[in-house]
Amino acid sequence: MTSDALSAFPAPTDEVVDLCRDLLRIDTTNTGDNATSAGERRAAEYVAEKLAEVGVEPVLHESAPGRANVIARIPGTDPSRGALLVHGHLDVVPADPDEWSVDPFSGELRDGYLWGRGAIDMKDFDAMVLAVVRHWQRTGVRPPRDIVLAYTADEEAGSEYGAHFLATRHRDLFDGCTEGIGEVGGFSYTVDESQRLYLIETAQKGIDWLRLHAKGRPGHGSMVHGDNAVTALAEAVARIGAHRFPVVVTDTVRAFLEEVGEVLGIEVDPDDPEIAIAKLGPIANIIGATIRNTANPTRLDAGYKDNVIPGRASATIDCRSLPGQSELLERQLRELVGPDIDIEYIQRQPALETTFDGDLVEAMSAALRAEDPGARPVPYMLSGGTDAKAFSQLGIRCFGFAPLRLPADLNFSALFHGIDERVPVDGLQFGVRVLDRFLRTC
């Protein structure tokens, strides 16, 4: 293709803004209920169209009506090498417009940011990858190894209709994949004007979502009643909500804290790391959740009439376990709630942890340093979970690497599932440049 022909196309750093805006304007709210979730197929068709437009052949797999996933393979120059999986989800959590400064599905460009539900979780990365691939197809670039693209549904509700569906029903699409990258990693934490830590996710906590069920004797609300299911449940939930599990420092968190201590010039006590973590500002919430198991009550359900004492009451608890601690967490919860409360698991997916080494890590680090000479890549553990839980079951070594250079004063962790979610435009463009370098050399 001639230079004149190429000039007719936008640069990937420009196109990423339009691609991200288009995706933000597609409401892909995942409520956890097929009847009320929306938009995933429309977003999947958009991605498939953008890939097909430049000669990539996407395959669309629908796990249930409307719950669509897109897979495509880009051949590399060395077929003897293992393929790299690059995955991103298309669904988002709900957003209440009354709580936002802008329409959460407007994709509004304001103050140097692109605003909307999914801006950092994770339509920004979806758009970055799409922009890089489209640029490659137009310019004849081939990666050194096969790259498998996966745009998935349902990550925000456990991935049953997305990554788990693909990994179990269409595992042949991932043949040869040895490593993978996905969300919530490669973002910056500013130390000072000349130094930034870039947190690459090498571990993530397990998902242990459960329901507590209390039983009692139904009765009239006006009577003295000693066997009240609501009371029993409320007491159990209060005990869980007030409990702090003991500190356990894993290898990944220990490595992160050592790096932080060196960069910040502070003493980090591995047996009492909370003092050091408190100095991390906007990322303290993420890191602080990775030194212990956690359990947060999120929903309550009881009764059917104001003057009737119900015979059953339930609560949902969002539990996250450290690597190797899921069974211990269950025992800890059993002690907290007591023998009369039933525990039902609604999601149980293992924690993941890999080492911070190897050629892929070197390629990530080199790409970051090339675009930011002040970059210092470090490993960290994600307090949540991603589609990597499904893909790791195929033997794929998974990392979180969705690079963003962030403003020093941006509370990045608060934007995840929060109000006024937004991504800096120059951060998006930085991510495109880093991914382009990384994927050309990995």
Side-chain angles (χ1 to χ4, degrees):
M1 187 176 289
T2 66
S3 58
D4 288 341
L6 281 176
S7 65
F9 298 109
T13 48
D14 293 331
E15 188 173 37
V16 68
V17 179
D18 292 331
L19 293 169
C20 189
R21 174 183 277 185
D22 287 349
L23 286 169
L24 292 174
R25 287 173 172 172
I26 303 173
D27 181 351
T28 53
T29 297
N30 184 354
T31 63
D33 180 355
N34 281 357
T36 54
S37 294
E40 286 168 333
R41 183 176 180 96
R42 184 178 162 207
E45 288 173 343
Y46 173 87
V47 169
E49 178 186 339
K50 292 299 180 182
L51 291 172
E53 199 171 77
V54 292
V56 178
E57 298 181 4
V59 178
L60 193 146
H61 288 285
E62 198 172 56
S63 54
R67 314 306 299 271
N69 305 272
V70 179
I71 307 291
R73 184 179 287 256
I74 300 170
T77 57
D78 185 357
S80 69
R81 293 188 59 194
L84 177 72
L85 171 64
V86 180
H87 61 93
H89 63 85
L90 294 168
D91 62 318
V92 300
V93 297
D96 182 351
D98 292 338
E99 297 176 335
W100 283 55
S101 303
V102 302
D103 180 340
F105 297 104
S106 65
E108 184 169 331
L109 191 59
R110 180 202 291 187
D111 301 327
Y113 287 82
L114 198 52
W115 299 59
R117 175 60 86 216
I120 52 99
D121 187 16
M122 61 173 298
K123 291 179 177 179
D124 57 339
F125 182 69
D126 295 337
M128 288 182 215
V129 174
L130 206 50
V132 169
V133 168
R134 283 168 62 83
H135 176 65
W136 283 4
Q137 291 295 112
R138 289 164 175 160
T139 56
V141 174
R142 288 187 65 192
R145 63 200 289 194
D146 283 10
I147 292 177
V148 176
L149 306 177
Y151 289 85
T152 63
D154 197 36
E155 191 274 344
E156 297 292 2
S159 308
E160 178 184 352
Y161 295 97
H164 282 294
F165 165 78
L166 292 171
T168 56
R169 298 281 296 276
H170 298 283
R171 60 187 305 148
D172 59 299
L173 295 170
F174 307 98
D175 284 350
C177 288
T178 56
E179 297 164 307
I181 62 168
E183 64 178 323
V184 204
F187 59 91
S188 68
Y189 165 76
T190 299
V191 178
D192 53 41
E193 289 184 2
S194 63
Q195 287 190 94
R196 278 156 296 282
L197 298 181
Y198 282 85
L199 282 63
I200 296 175
E201 183 209 311
T202 58
Q204 57 181 248
K205 295 177 79 174
I207 296 175
D208 301 81
W209 295 343
L210 54 85
R211 288 197 183 100
L212 304 181
H213 300 289
K215 297 177 182 177
R217 179 170 51 84
H220 198 288
S222 68
M223 303 292 182
V224 176
H225 202 92
D227 185 17
N228 190 315
V230 175
T231 302
L233 179 74
E235 290 172 346
V237 168
R239 288 193 294 272
I240 289 175
H243 186 72
R244 291 297 175 267
F245 295 88
V247 170
V248 178
V249 179
T250 63
D251 291 344
T252 295
V253 174
R254 187 179 302 275
F256 172 81
L257 292 174
E258 288 172 355
E259 294 273 3
V260 165
E262 183 178 331
V263 169
L264 298 183
I266 59 175
E267 190 73 28
V268 179
D269 181 353
D271 297 319
D272 185 18
E274 291 179 288
I275 296 174
I277 291 172
K279 300 179 185 294
L280 298 179
I283 63 168
N285 282 343
I286 293 179
I287 305 304
T290 64
I291 60 171
R292 53 168 48 94
N293 296 324
T294 58
N296 284 305
T298 56
R299 300 181 71 181
L300 295 169
D301 183 22
Y304 51 88
K305 198 172 187 296
D306 292 346
N307 63 347
V308 176
I309 298 170
R312 186 178 178 87
S314 301
T316 303
I317 313 293
D318 183 344
C319 304
R320 308 291 173 133
S321 56
L322 294 169
Q325 298 232 336
S326 180
E327 291 183 2
L328 173 61
L329 175 58
E330 182 177 0
R331 293 195 297 271
Q332 292 170 329
L333 290 168
R334 171 51 63 201
E335 292 176 3
L336 282 171
V337 303
D340 298 328
I341 303 292
D342 293 331
I343 296 177
E344 172 198 5
Y345 278 88
I346 52 179
Q347 283 281 347
R348 199 168 194 180
Q349 300 187 40
L352 304 176
E353 189 165 29
T354 188
T355 51
F356 189 61
D357 56 19
D359 291 343
L360 197 74
V361 170
E362 288 300 319
M364 294 178 199
S365 301
L368 286 167
R369 292 190 187 104
E371 292 297 331
D372 180 1
R376 181 168 178 161
V378 297
Y380 93 108
M381 179 185 291
L382 176 65
S383 58
T386 73
D387 280 339
K389 294 189 184 302
F391 295 127
S392 66
Q393 294 174 12
L394 301 177
I396 299 171
R397 185 185 182 207
C398 294
F399 296 85
F401 187 65
L404 285 173
R405 180 168 173 173
L406 301 168
D409 60 350
L410 180 67
N411 190 346
F412 185 59
S413 64
L415 297 178
F416 285 87
H417 299 188
I419 61 172
D420 288 342
E421 185 180 347
R422 59 198 182 276
V423 63
V425 170
D426 56 3
L428 269 179
Q429 294 170 331
F430 172 85
V432 167
R433 294 194 298 271
V434 171
L435 281 175
D436 186 26
R437 287 180 180 273
F438 165 68
L439 293 172
R440 285 175 188 252
T441 58
C442 68

